[in-house]
Amino acid sequence: MSTLISKLLNPGSRSQELRLIARNLLQLYKENRKNPSKHVVIFLLSLFSSTTVAVIYTLNKVISDIRDKRDSRPLYKRSSSTILKNGARELFIPYKNRQKRVIIQPTEPELYEKDKFKYKNFAKNIKTEEDHDKIFSSKFLNQLIIIWQILIPKVNDKNSIFLITQFFFLILRTWLSLLIAKLDGQIVKDIIGGKFRKFLRDLAYWFLMAVPASYTNSAIKYLVKKLSVNFRTNLTRYVHDMYLDPRMVYYKVMFNDQSIKDIDNFITTDINRFCNSICSLFSNIGKPMIDLVFFAVYLRDNLGTAGITGIFVNYFISAYILKRNTPPFGKLTKEKSALEGEYYNDHLNLITNSEEIAFYNGTNLEKIKINEIYDKMMNHVFKVNRIKVAYNVLEDYILKYTWSALGYLYASIPIFIISVKDDVKKSTEDRNMRQFIVNKRLMLNMADAGSRLMYSIKDISKLTGYTDRVFTLLTVLHQVHDGDFQFGSEDWNENIKGAIQYHYNGLRFEKINVIIPTINGGEGTKLINELDINLKQHESILILGMNGCGKTSIERILAGLWPLYHGLISKPNDDDIIYLPQKAYFSNGTLRDQLIYPMSHSEMLNEGKTDQDLIRILKEVRLEYLLDRDVGLNYLNSIHDWKDVLSGGEKQRVQFARILFKNPKFVVLDEATNAISSDIEAYLFDLLRKKNFAFITLSHRPLLIKYHDYLLEIHQDGNWSLETLGSDAAIISIEKEIKEIEDKLKDVDSQEDRKIQLENLLDGIQPKKLLSDQIAEID
């Protein structure tokens, strides 16, 4: 062999040796043409299957592109979504030079009603055992089984096909590893025996085997990532359909469990980590398990039953030792995720309220809060790292070194125990050498499989933490989504006694109690006692009261944000009511999007409305000058940060524009004109009355009574008074307010004198004494 290598390195003889190698390879091809080796067959089958998969994938992509081009729309149109007749959502996503059509099928309404009982029964049946860190604990398995029905909702789901395909490739990779181990022993035997032709043949087989082996590894990695994406898609869509349900779960969830304040972190980070963890775990456990089975069956013929038994006894002892010394990784992972979510929320709060914090000069306090949670999070990370040190030492010693040494021991059993005759000593030595190489490689592969299986203990512990987080999220969402959701209470069975009647031509409150949602339910803090109102069509009412008396709470109950614990509300359909909250909301988008919110552009066009209608509405609320800030009508398509571009009064007038665009039967105004000048305010209320809107105004300003038909005053003790307003009552109320202001103005002079006296005292100037006091001192 050394002579051959020296010749190959010699430039003079290199061409002759290359021709010799080429002749030998050609001769090997001729010898195997009629009876090809199984390695060649494996290579050809792999190449054929790869080509078949590539052709199918290409054809599917071509058909999909043709369908997309047929259903696509030009790129210059804004991406939008439309609800189809069957309830599916049609999306157009920018893709290359066009927009790709995507159909999202609706979630069955009955699905959540059926699934909620799984979570209710789980909460009832699960014992309060601290087993969330036990491998394959009953709590962990039950949670995983329930979530699994979301990941793979039916047997013939595409994810089932991906799982079966991944299992096939895992078996194929193990089988190829077994063949490569045999080929490795044969190559070593050829090198030591100086059999150059067989060495070249086996080396050629090695390169042929590398093709299906590489393809198999890539396919497994692809399937793991594909499954992870599909699992995350199913789980996220399931969560989104509940979280963004018309029952406004995204709002009500704050009343359920304060431990899930960072729900955004649950939905984004924890779901992603859970899906990646469970898909990786399937590959990390499936491959070692298959390796152990295949290699054990093969080694049993070489090592015997005693050798295989010793190997598995070693595995069980190692697993027991590692399990006894495994830290609570599941609990630590769950705590880490919670701290990361809290740290994220503090930064989000700083971004959301940056202007207010800057005005208050609260930088130092916010810095202390963020540094505090950051230090807490980092201390937890350092704690986890310290815990891992001792465990990693024990783990590496057992899995890397002990198992490798035992692998040599078990691989040498056939050589040291089996005796041979002298006349076949040489052939036996060759066989032993080859067999030892094969056994050694398989033993090392088994040791690697066993070590990866043991390493998976940590992965399983982490998965228990992610599973518990995701299951907690799903449980809370089902509790809030339930029609009998008890605000602030974990009891699924307590009923709310109040009732709401829809499709009523007007508005009627019958003995409703306004109660703050808490864990106490109907026994909580009562803001208003047995309120009675009967408002007919086209009538308006002004609700007056001090801050905190419960005015906005009435709006929350009417909109379904808060529960109605007692009484009856009769109101129009929800689509016929529009609510204007105290803080105007503006989405990311164009001016058109702000005016038609929450409708999309395509939905506006479907209703037969155009930009000319929006221009007319802008003129009606006296905002037509906004169109002159840019280039005419194109300003409707301009994208700005509208909450910063518009002033407070402009924001409130945009809300009135939304009223005119939607044209509802009923309007609820919560301090909707407190940033508007008095002349524009009068104009807007007259506009509402002119268009015959029925509206409720929540305010603390008595001057607004002249625009309403009724006045409801809420007192601090929860009592109330209702009166019908006429012109005389309005005038009397205004005169009363004017008199109160005049009385305050009369006292201005005395207050100014007192102010001067206090300033003199602060400056050390004694006040001048009266003349009578000076005469008394002289006497």
Side-chain angles (χ1 to χ4, degrees), residues 15 108 170 205 244 263 323 367 458 508 555 565 604 684 710 774:
S15 59
E108 298 179 4
L170 289 174
Y205 289 160
L244 301 173
I263 191 169
K323 181 60 190 72
K367 182 178 179 181
K458 291 188 296 186
R508 182 174 61 195
E555 181 184 21
Y565 290 106
M604 182 191 86
L684 292 175
Y710 299 95
Q774 296 178 5

Side-chain angles (χ1 to χ4, degrees), residues 591 618 623-633 635-636:
L591 178 60
L618 285 174
L623 285 176
E624 67 275 9
Y625 60 86
L626 291 178
L627 301 175
D628 298 330
R629 291 182 180 178
D630 211 328
V631 284
L633 294 180
Y635 194 70
L636 287 174

Side-chain angles (χ1 to χ4, degrees), residues 1 182-205 430 433-434 437:
M1 179 61 70
K182 294 180 179 180
L183 189 58
D184 184 28
Q186 186 64 39
I187 289 175
V188 174
K189 176 183 175 182
D190 295 337
I191 293 175
I192 297 176
K195 301 174 182 179
F196 180 64
R197 288 185 57 192
K198 291 186 177 181
F199 168 73
L200 291 179
R201 181 197 64 187
D202 294 334
L203 192 63
Y205 289 160
D430 293 339
M433 177 179 59
R434 177 179 179 276
I437 297 297

Side-chain angles (χ1 to χ4, degrees), residues 36 38-51 208 212:
K38 59 182 178 182
H39 302 94
V40 179
V41 174
I42 292 171
F43 169 74
L44 293 177
L45 289 176
S46 177
L47 185 63
F48 174 76
S49 61
S50 303
T51 305
L208 291 178

Side-chain angles (χ1 to χ4, degrees), residues 207-319:
F207 283 108
L208 291 178
M209 292 293 294
V211 175
S214 301
Y215 172 79
T216 302
N217 289 329
S218 299
I220 291 174
K221 292 178 182 178
Y222 169 78
L223 289 172
V224 169
K225 294 180 180 179
K226 182 67 176 178
L227 271 174
S228 177
V229 172
N230 288 350
F231 283 174
R232 186 180 181 185
T233 300
N234 289 355
L235 194 54
T236 302
R237 184 169 296 168
Y238 185 92
V239 169
H240 280 184
D241 287 344
M242 267 199 302
Y243 186 60
L244 301 173
D245 190 87
R247 296 180 182 180
M248 293 172 288
V249 174
Y250 58 88
Y251 172 82
K252 297 178 182 178
V253 72
M254 72 176 70
F255 296 100
N256 186 77
D257 188 350
Q258 296 302 319
S259 65
I260 200 172
K261 291 185 294 185
D262 57 332
I263 191 169
D264 50 348
N265 192 52
F266 276 79
I267 296 176
T268 55
T269 304
D270 290 323
I271 287 181
N272 182 37
R273 288 175 176 173
F274 168 77
C275 294
N276 290 337
S277 178
I278 193 172
C279 291
S280 300
L281 187 66
F282 180 80
S283 177
N284 293 340
I285 291 181
K287 175 61 168 64
M289 290 293 292
I290 296 173
D291 285 351
L292 290 175
V293 173
F294 272 66
F295 295 157
V297 171
Y298 180 80
L299 286 173
R300 183 180 178 278
D301 297 334
N302 300 326
L303 304 182
T305 304
I308 294 299
T309 303
I311 292 174
F312 281 100
V313 168
N314 173 48
Y315 288 163
F316 285 119
I317 293 175
S318 301

Side-chain angles (χ1 to χ4, degrees), residues 484-654:
D484 294 331
F485 166 59
Q486 191 66 209
F487 285 65
S489 174
E490 296 181 357
D491 188 356
W492 292 63
N493 298 317
E494 185 177 349
N495 293 321
I496 297 174
K497 299 178 181 179
I500 298 179
Q501 174 188 354
Y502 293 94
H503 306 289
Y504 181 74
N505 192 18
L507 181 66
R508 182 174 61 195
F509 293 170
E510 296 184 15
K511 296 186 180 302
I512 71 166
N513 290 322
V514 179
I515 299 174
I516 299 176
T518 62
I519 196 171
N520 298 319
E523 303 300 324
T525 303
K526 187 181 298 184
L527 298 177
I528 304 176
N529 301 318
E530 297 186 350
L531 180 61
D532 284 314
I533 298 177
N534 191 1
L535 198 64
K536 299 180 181 179
Q537 191 176 12
H538 307 312
E539 291 183 337
S540 59
I541 184 172
L542 172 65
I543 301 179
L544 286 179
M546 302 296 292
N547 293 334
C549 69
K551 300 189 302 296
T552 303
S553 302
I554 296 176
E555 181 184 21
R556 291 172 181 148
I557 294 177
L558 191 60
L561 302 183
W562 280 17
L564 179 61
Y565 290 106
H566 305 284
L568 171 66
I569 292 181
S570 301
K571 66 174 186 177
N573 190 30
D574 287 335
D575 293 335
D576 295 326
I577 306 178
I578 187 171
Y579 303 89
L580 301 191
Q582 293 185 22
K583 184 179 180 181
Y585 172 73
F586 291 89
S587 61
N588 295 327
T590 64
L591 178 60
R592 179 192 299 107
D593 296 330
Q594 315 313 312
L595 297 175
I596 67 177
Y597 184 84
M599 190 179 291
S600 66
H601 187 201
S602 61
E603 290 171 337
M604 182 191 86
L605 297 176
N606 291 336
E607 289 195 359
K609 298 182 179 180
T610 64
D611 289 346
Q612 294 299 326
D613 296 320
L614 299 182
I615 295 173
R616 174 182 54 80
I617 291 174
L618 285 174
K619 291 180 180 179
E620 284 191 286
V621 296
R622 297 188 178 179
L623 285 176
E624 67 275 9
Y625 60 86
L626 291 178
L627 301 175
D628 298 330
R629 291 182 180 178
D630 211 328
V631 284
L633 294 180
N634 289 334
Y635 194 70
L636 287 174
N637 296 311
S638 299
I639 297 177
H640 297 285
D641 194 355
W642 296 104
K643 62 182 178 61
D644 296 328
V645 171
L646 301 176
S647 66
E650 289 173 336
K651 292 176 183 177
Q652 292 186 337
R653 277 185 278 172
V654 168

Side-chain angles (χ1 to χ4, degrees), residues 6 37 44 109 126 158 160 169 187 205 209 251 268-269 376 400 421-422 449 474 498 508 566 571 595 675 701 721-722:
S6 62
S37 171
L44 293 177
I126 194 65
K158 62 179 181 180
S160 299
F169 277 108
I187 289 175
Y205 289 160
M209 292 293 294
Y251 172 82
T268 55
T269 304
K376 189 176 180 181
K400 289 185 177 180
K421 297 181 179 180
D422 294 337
L474 294 172
R508 182 174 61 195
H566 305 284
K571 66 174 186 177
L595 297 175
R701 300 165 59 203
S721 59
L722 178 66

Side-chain angles (χ1 to χ4, degrees), residues 767-779:
K768 294 182 179 180
K769 296 181 179 180
L770 296 175
L771 180 60
S772 59
D773 294 336
Q774 296 178 5
I775 294 173
E777 289 181 357
I778 294 174
D779 295 341

